[in-house]
Amino acid sequence: MAFSWSRVAPLCLVVLALAVAIVGQNYAPSPAHALVSAAAPPPLTPALGVCVLAGVWLLWRGTGSKAGGGQRTFGGLLRHYAAVKAVRWLGERQRRKLEADARNVTQVQEETLLKRLRKNANTCYGKQYDFRSMNGEKWQTTKPFLSFPANTHIRVLHHTVLLPFTVADALSGSGGFRAHHPVTTYEHYRELIGRVAAGEDKVLIAEEPSLLAVTSGTSGPSAVLLSTEDTNRDFFLQGVAVCLDAMHEAFPATNSLQRTTKFFYTPALRRSESGIPIGTNSSTPSSSRHVLHLYTTPAPALEVPGEKEALYLHLLFALKDPSVGTLESNFASTIFYAFIALQNHWQELVDDIEQGKVSSALALDPRLRARLEALMKPDPQRAAQLRAHFQNGFRGIAKQLWPQLNLVLAVDSGSNQIYGEMLRESYCRGVPFYSPFYAATEGLIGVNLWPQESSRRYVLCPRSMFCEFLPETSLEDASPHTLLMEEVVEGQNYELVITNASGLYRYRIGDIVKVVGFHHKCPIVEFQYRRGQMLNVRGEKVSELLFLGALKKAVGQWPPAQLVDYCCAESGIMGDSIGGSDPHYQVFLELKGVRNLTEEQRYKLDICLQQDSAVYKSFRIKGSIGPMRVQLVAEGAFRELQTQMMASSNTSPNTFKMHRVLHRREDAHFLLGKTIS
């Protein structure tokens, strides 16, 4: 039987506590020490020993009762227990702060903006836009009458007037900022960020950035933004801590010492000419090094640079532990493709567990391989269990492999919606899902306080960013007027305009959200679509949300077809490869259950979109837009496309989101080459 500290530790601790009591009873101070502490009791007494024994028993009850099984060291269990308790305390504290902020949104937003402007007032950008005047510094140091507090009664022409604001308020703060600073897009910052990358100080922000963060590129070419320690700290305190508190409250079983299988990868970092790291702004093994003991994947496996090899090792060590409590990743797509890999390689993985080795097919450094194989012990009993589960099929396989699995923790809204739906219907049937945050490379935007609800709603975090809202009806205006948090209307769609901690000011992030309610006074939003992911060959502007709804209706009329993945391309980017025709949508589908569709079935998709979009239907009736061309692609085509797109954009598996509208001709031609029908 394998040795485990979890069995021996309680006895060792009891012996230690009794020893403390006995030593305390027999303790005899030296004469010199007795002179110093003549009236003091002995430092170790039987009572102290009893207290230690009681404390040890309580601690062991807290750890032992929550341990999820598996071979865990007692030290590892203690560290896990301490981490759970610390995060729970921090989460409750941050949740209380969020609740207070949500009741006082106007003031909190003003404070957040002024904090950003004040900190960066002496940068080149801050001087160009006179941030000092916007945050009130100049006005508060000029003439005395300008320092009247709000709600002051003054006498003007024999009448008493109540000032609801200071004069400085009218000339500075959010009012002055919005009056003097334009709404911006990435082109406004491209040259400035280039100067930062070259090593110039205090261009956009006062401190040196911790990272030049590469975006996922769903709205066009990947951009490079600044990331700071403030951004990361806000994300952890206002995002991670609050969401973990909501998770523990909604799913009490997660408040245990079961380990998590987290699918994340070590990104390939580059350096700018001045030495600043360039990469993706997301959770990575290196940024999580202090909590790696919470995960099933051991530290040596997280050093593996290749995604294919790293995924195999994630799966291998997850399968070894029958008590996994949570499956986690940034996005549901990562977990979905992990199960695809498991379905393709389960026999090899089970053989490794049975024999206590690491597959020779993996391209690993010999020294790293030796460290990994030192962690493997032959386990024919676990291998037999796994083999039996896999041979019974993959529907609901997650609960078969890990009977104590409590949760899948991953974002499954937006472009990840279809992956979440497929996981719930197939591999992870019967397991709850929690989509914790709404975030982007620009930083934390909102948190989901309602984990058990099927709709993905996020309350905005008023201390993370200063938020403005551009009505959907004004998206094309040259000088758009924005609204503040307290001015938005429930049921309306808006584009988010943010000012963050990393040098973006009144920046259009391209996300369209719907205000679906308020938490106290703070807006609750649902993500709708990305502006750059719209189909628009004649001005019809079909959003990702609209197209996906039509596609799901059409697939429902193609039994037994199941949607695996999809994307579209406007005919204009296809070139001569599709021949001359009216502008139309080229649709690429990966389906499970069928390998061909009739022309009538393909036309169903066009009909469904016409039913959902009156504008598209009008263009189709007039003949301005031709019928869709639906192509079925080979199994695994989208996984290969993902690899190609990540290589071309320098994005990481940790942050990649499948582009639903392709903008690069080479990507569309790649899928065209994978067409099977």
Side-chain angles (χ1 to χ4, degrees):
M1 180 182 292
F3 176 80
S4 174
W5 268 106
S6 62
R7 302 172 188 268
V8 180
L11 179 60
C12 294
L13 289 170
V14 169
V15 171
L16 176 62
L18 290 174
V20 167
I22 293 169
V23 169
Q25 192 171 21
N26 295 331
Y27 176 78
S30 66
H33 185 266
L35 289 174
V36 176
S37 55
L44 293 174
T45 67
L48 178 60
V50 171
C51 291
V52 170
L53 182 58
V56 166
W57 179 78
L58 289 171
L59 181 60
W60 179 252
R61 190 179 70 166
T63 56
S65 64
K66 296 178 180 180
Q71 300 304 313
R72 309 281 299 277
T73 66
F74 182 64
L77 284 171
L78 281 180
R79 284 184 297 161
H80 196 151
Y81 180 78
V84 167
K85 289 297 183 184
V87 169
R88 192 70 198 268
W89 172 83
L90 182 62
E92 291 172 353
R93 179 172 175 267
Q94 291 299 127
R95 176 66 180 270
R96 287 194 296 271
K97 284 187 175 183
L98 175 60
E99 295 292 332
D101 289 345
R103 291 182 173 92
N104 195 18
V105 161
T106 303
Q107 180 181 330
V108 170
Q109 279 279 275
E110 193 80 6
E111 291 172 359
T112 301
L113 175 63
L114 293 181
K115 177 183 176 183
R116 307 289 187 236
L117 299 181
R118 194 173 294 120
K119 184 172 184 178
N120 297 316
N122 291 322
T123 62
C124 297
Y125 194 87
K127 292 174 182 176
Q128 178 184 349
Y129 285 96
D130 200 10
F131 282 180
R132 284 195 64 209
S133 68
M134 293 180 196
N135 68 36
E137 289 183 17
K138 287 185 177 179
W139 304 108
Q140 290 169 6
T141 57
T142 53
K143 298 180 181 180
F145 78 89
L146 292 175
S147 62
F148 286 153
N151 299 319
T152 297
H153 291 81
I154 62 171
R155 191 89 174 158
V156 179
L157 298 177
H158 310 292
H159 295 281
T160 299
V161 179
L162 173 66
L163 289 182
F165 50 82
T166 66
V167 178
D169 285 338
L171 299 171
S172 63
S174 62
F177 176 64
R178 294 164 71 204
H180 292 93
H181 194 289
V183 173
T184 62
T185 62
Y186 184 68
E187 287 306 314
H188 182 82
Y189 301 94
R190 186 184 297 276
E191 182 267 335
L192 296 166
I193 291 173
R195 287 164 56 186
V196 175
E200 187 176 342
D201 292 334
K202 296 186 176 180
V203 178
L204 281 164
I205 54 177
E207 73 268 46
E208 182 177 324
S210 57
L211 180 75
L212 295 174
V214 180
T215 67
S216 60
T218 49
S219 294
S222 291
V224 176
L225 303 175
L226 307 182
S227 182
T228 66
E229 293 301 329
D230 280 354
T231 310
N232 297 333
R233 183 169 53 252
D234 287 347
F235 188 88
F236 178 75
L237 292 176
Q238 299 179 45
V240 174
V242 170
C243 288
L244 288 178
D245 178 68
M247 180 185 79
H248 290 147
E249 188 175 320
F251 308 107
T254 60
N255 189 27
S256 72
L257 301 190
Q258 293 171 264
R259 286 186 292 193
T260 293
T261 292
K262 183 167 183 176
F263 296 99
F264 60 168
Y265 304 92
T266 298
L269 291 177
R270 298 173 289 137
R271 296 273 175 178
S272 74
E273 51 204 287
S274 63
I276 303 172
I278 304 174
T280 52
N281 189 17
S282 69
S283 174
T284 64
S286 61
S287 67
S288 307
R289 61 189 178 278
H290 300 303
V291 292
L292 292 182
H293 58 280
L294 307 182
Y295 304 131
T296 54
T297 308
L302 298 171
E303 299 173 21
V304 175
E307 182 194 353
K308 177 183 173 183
E309 288 78 13
L311 176 55
Y312 186 95
L313 293 170
H314 279 310
L315 292 170
L316 178 64
F317 286 96
L319 291 173
K320 277 171 54 65
D321 186 348
S323 62
V324 170
T326 303
L327 300 179
E328 179 185 352
S329 190
N330 288 346
F331 300 117
S333 58
T334 308
I335 298 177
F336 174 75
Y337 281 113
F339 275 101
I340 294 285
L342 178 60
Q343 193 164 359
N344 292 333
H345 299 286
W346 69 265
Q347 292 173 313
E348 193 176 352
L349 287 158
V350 171
D351 287 345
D352 282 356
I353 290 171
E354 186 172 49
Q355 299 169 33
K357 64 180 181 63
V358 175
S359 172
S360 59
L362 299 186
L364 298 175
D365 177 84
R367 288 173 295 182
L368 188 57
R369 177 181 290 278
R371 290 166 62 198
L372 289 168
E373 293 200 328
L375 301 172
M376 297 291 295
K377 298 288 187 292
D379 193 348
Q381 183 179 356
R382 177 62 175 160
Q385 293 172 350
L386 294 170
R387 193 172 282 116
H389 293 319
F390 289 130
Q391 289 171 346
N392 285 334
F394 277 78
R395 190 175 180 83
I397 190 66
K399 266 292 193 181
Q400 299 299 312
L401 301 175
W402 304 291
Q404 300 174 63
L405 186 64
N406 303 308
L407 189 66
V408 174
L409 182 63
V411 172
D412 63 355
S413 54
S415 61
N416 277 271
Q417 179 184 337
I418 63 169
Y419 304 115
E421 291 173 353
M422 287 186 290
L423 284 168
R424 281 188 286 272
E425 283 298 312
S426 56
Y427 303 116
C428 298
R429 194 173 182 84
V431 183
F433 278 64
Y434 177 30
S435 183
F437 345 93
Y438 172 23
T441 306
E442 293 84 355
L444 175 69
I445 300 171
V447 291
N448 181 359
L449 300 182
W450 307 275
Q452 292 174 307
E453 293 189 7
S454 58
S455 60
R456 300 315 190 209
R457 303 185 300 145
Y458 305 93
V459 62
L460 299 179
C461 298
R463 286 200 188 273
S464 177
M465 298 178 177
F466 177 72
C467 292
E468 299 173 66
F469 301 81
L470 183 57
E472 191 178 33
T473 54
S474 306
L475 296 181
E476 305 302 328
D477 291 0
S479 301
H481 173 70
T482 60
L483 304 176
L484 299 179
M485 278 194 184
E486 63 271 23
E487 298 172 325
V488 295
V489 177
E490 184 174 345
Q492 298 298 306
N493 286 0
Y494 302 91
E495 180 181 356
L496 282 173
V497 178
I498 59 99
T499 297
N500 70 359
S502 303
L504 297 176
Y505 305 95
R506 306 198 75 202
Y507 179 71
R508 297 177 68 165
I509 67 173
D511 284 6
I512 309 300
V513 299
K514 182 178 184 178
V515 176
V516 295
F518 292 86
H519 184 63
H520 305 306
K521 297 181 180 180
C522 195
I524 302 167
V525 301
E526 284 182 357
F527 177 86
Q528 299 296 295
Y529 61 91
R530 294 277 293 163
R531 285 193 69 202
Q533 289 286 282
M534 297 182 80
L535 290 162
N536 189 26
V537 296
R538 289 289 194 192
E540 71 282 10
K541 297 179 182 173
V542 173
S543 71
E544 176 185 335
L545 183 70
L546 188 61
F547 185 86
L548 178 57
L551 177 58
K552 287 160 71 174
K553 283 201 296 186
V555 173
Q557 300 176 55
W558 303 337
Q562 291 179 284
L563 180 64
V564 175
D565 225 327
Y566 82 97
C567 68
C568 308
E570 296 172 357
S571 56
I573 76 162
M574 302 299 295
D576 298 332
S577 59
I578 58 171
S581 63
D582 291 327
H584 64 276
Y585 305 157
Q586 199 83 15
V587 182
F588 300 99
L589 304 177
E590 184 175 334
L591 299 177
K592 199 157 69 171
V594 300
R595 289 186 59 82
N596 195 9
L597 293 173
T598 66
E599 287 304 315
E600 182 182 358
Q601 287 176 313
R602 295 169 200 256
Y603 191 61
K604 287 282 189 185
L605 176 55
D606 200 284
I607 295 298
C608 288
L609 185 57
Q610 289 185 49
Q611 291 170 348
D612 291 351
S613 172
V615 178
Y616 178 76
K617 182 177 182 178
S618 70
F619 280 115
R620 287 286 291 114
I621 292 172
K622 290 187 292 186
S624 302
I625 297 178
M628 293 182 204
R629 297 189 180 180
V630 178
Q631 315 273 1
L632 300 192
V633 299
E635 180 182 348
F638 278 88
R639 185 66 168 151
E640 293 179 43
L641 176 64
Q642 176 181 329
T643 301
Q644 175 176 298
M645 295 176 84
M646 287 192 300
S648 65
S649 61
N650 293 310
T651 52
S652 156
N654 297 324
T655 58
F656 180 82
K657 289 175 280 191
M658 178 54 68
H659 302 197
R660 299 306 176 196
V661 178
L662 300 178
H663 296 289
R664 298 191 334 141
R665 180 174 296 183
E666 49 265 54
D667 294 333
H669 282 185
F670 175 83
L671 286 181
L672 203 59
K674 296 290 181 179
T675 298
I676 59 173
S677 168

